[in-house]
Amino acid sequence: MASGRPTALIVGASRGLGLGLAAEYLSRGWDVVATVRGSGRTGLHDLQEKVGGGHLDIETVDIAEPEQVAALRQRLSGRTFDLLFVNAGIANDPDETVGNVATDEFVRVMVTNALSPMRVIEAFDDLVTPAGTIGVMSSGLGSVADNEHGGWEVYRASKAALNTLMRSYGARHRKDARALLIIAPGWVRTDMGGPHAMLEINESIPRVVDVITAQSGKPGVRYLNYQGQTVRW
Ligand code: NAP
C-alpha cells in the first residue's frame, strides 16, 4: 500500500453499506483495509480488481469469533489507521418480539450487533491515530427516544445496546482526543434494507462519509444520522 494517504479499516465490507464505504473512501484518495467473512469471492474483490493500484487490502474476520478478531489484530500489528469503522451487522425477522424470539436468536443478534463491534474496537483502538476516528454503524432504530411505533424489537434492542456500549467506551476514554461516532445511515436499499427502502447506497454513503469527515478531530461520542443531524438517544 502507498504511504502518505490516510488509511481506513472498514470491518464488514463484502456488500451493502460496508462495500459502499470502502468504495467511497478509495474514491476520496484513501487507502483502505476492508474485511470480509470466509473465503468466497465478494463485491469487495470486484472492487479491488476495479481500482487496482494496491490501495485496497482485503482481510478476513468474523467479528463474532473472538479468536478471528485476535488473529486479525495480530496480522495488522504495526499498521496505523486514521479511521476504524465497524459496519458489520445483522437483522432478524422484524416481526419477532421478545414474546416469541428464540433465546439463541436473541443472543445471535445481540452478540453480532452489540458485543462484537465493541470487541473489535477494544482490540484495534491502539492502531487508530491519536486524532483519528472510531465509528460504528448503528441505526435510527437504535434510538430509545424515537421508538414510538415498535417493530424490529430485537434489532432495535441490539443497536440501542451498541449505542450504550459506545457511550460507556467514551466515558471510559474521556481524555481521548478521538471522535467516537455512532452512525444512522438512513433506510437504504441493501440485502438488509430491502427493495422498498428510501435511499440508494449512493444517496446515503457519500453523506455518511461527509459526516464522518466533518466530525474528524472533535473528541467524544456523537449519535448522528447520514444528514449530520443528532439522533435522540
Ligand atoms: P447487509 O447488506 O446485510 O450487509 C451486512 C454486512 O455485514 C455484510 O458485509 C456481512 O458480511 C457483514 N457481517 C454480518 N455479520 C458479520 C460478522 N459476524 N462478522 C463480519 N461481518 C459480518 O446489510 P447493510 O444494509 O449493508 O447493513 C450494514 C450495517 O448498516 C449493519 O450494521 C446494519 O445494521 C446497518 N444499517 C442498515 C440499514 C439499511 O437500511 N440497510 C439501516 C440502518 C442500519 P457477509 O457478506 O459475510 O454476510
Side-chain angles (χ1 to χ4, degrees):
M1 252 187 199
S3 58
R5 294 161 56 120
T7 306
L9 173 57
I10 301 171
V11 178
S14 60
R15 56 195 168 98
L17 299 179
L19 176 59
L21 277 173
E24 186 65 24
Y25 275 102
L26 285 164
S27 80
R28 296 187 188 206
W30 286 52
D31 283 346
V32 174
V33 178
T35 75
V36 298
R37 279 194 288 192
S39 54
R41 191 176 172 90
T42 71
L44 192 64
H45 298 88
D46 296 340
L47 178 64
Q48 189 182 46
E49 209 165 272
K50 196 171 119 196
V51 296
H55 294 298
L56 171 59
D57 283 350
I58 300 180
E59 276 289 353
T60 304
V61 70
D62 182 330
I63 63 167
E65 300 291 339
E67 67 285 359
Q68 289 192 26
V69 174
L72 177 62
R73 173 64 187 77
Q74 196 63 35
R75 290 198 296 279
L76 294 180
S77 286
R79 301 288 302 264
T80 55
F81 298 98
D82 302 280
L83 170 69
L84 164 63
F85 196 93
V86 188
N87 168 76
I90 56 169
N92 64 316
D93 178 349
D95 296 327
E96 241 166 1
T97 69
V98 282
N100 59 27
V101 69
T103 303
D104 284 354
E105 180 68 347
F106 185 85
V107 169
R108 185 178 78 94
V109 177
M110 281 290 178
V111 167
T112 305
N113 287 358
L115 177 60
S116 300
M118 296 311 302
R119 279 192 168 150
V120 170
I121 289 171
E122 295 284 351
F124 287 82
D125 61 0
D126 64 334
L127 300 186
V128 180
T129 53
T133 298
I134 297 174
V136 290
M137 197 64 98
S138 182
S139 167
L141 295 177
S143 168
V144 174
D146 288 345
N147 184 4
E148 306 283 357
H149 303 291
W152 295 91
E153 276 187 24
V154 176
Y155 177 80
R156 275 182 194 277
S158 71
K159 293 296 189 178
L162 173 63
N163 295 355
T164 293
L165 292 170
M166 199 60 178
R167 276 192 80 149
S168 296
Y169 177 92
R172 189 152 38 87
H173 294 85
R174 69 170 63 79
K175 292 187 182 144
D176 201 319
R178 293 179 280 205
L180 302 174
L181 303 180
I182 300 169
I183 298 293
W187 184 24
V188 190
R189 265 161 261 158
T190 62
D191 293 338
M192 184 187 294
H196 305 299
M198 282 172 50
L199 303 168
E200 293 288 354
I201 291 173
N202 66 13
E203 293 173 296
S204 166
I205 287 302
R207 300 171 85 173
V208 165
V209 173
D210 287 345
V211 171
I212 294 170
T213 305
Q215 295 298 324
S216 159
K218 298 180 187 167
V221 182
R222 283 171 298 287
Y223 182 20
L224 299 166
N225 70 16
Y226 71 102
Q227 296 167 308
Q229 296 156 332
T230 295
V231 185
R232 298 195 301 162
W233 293 101

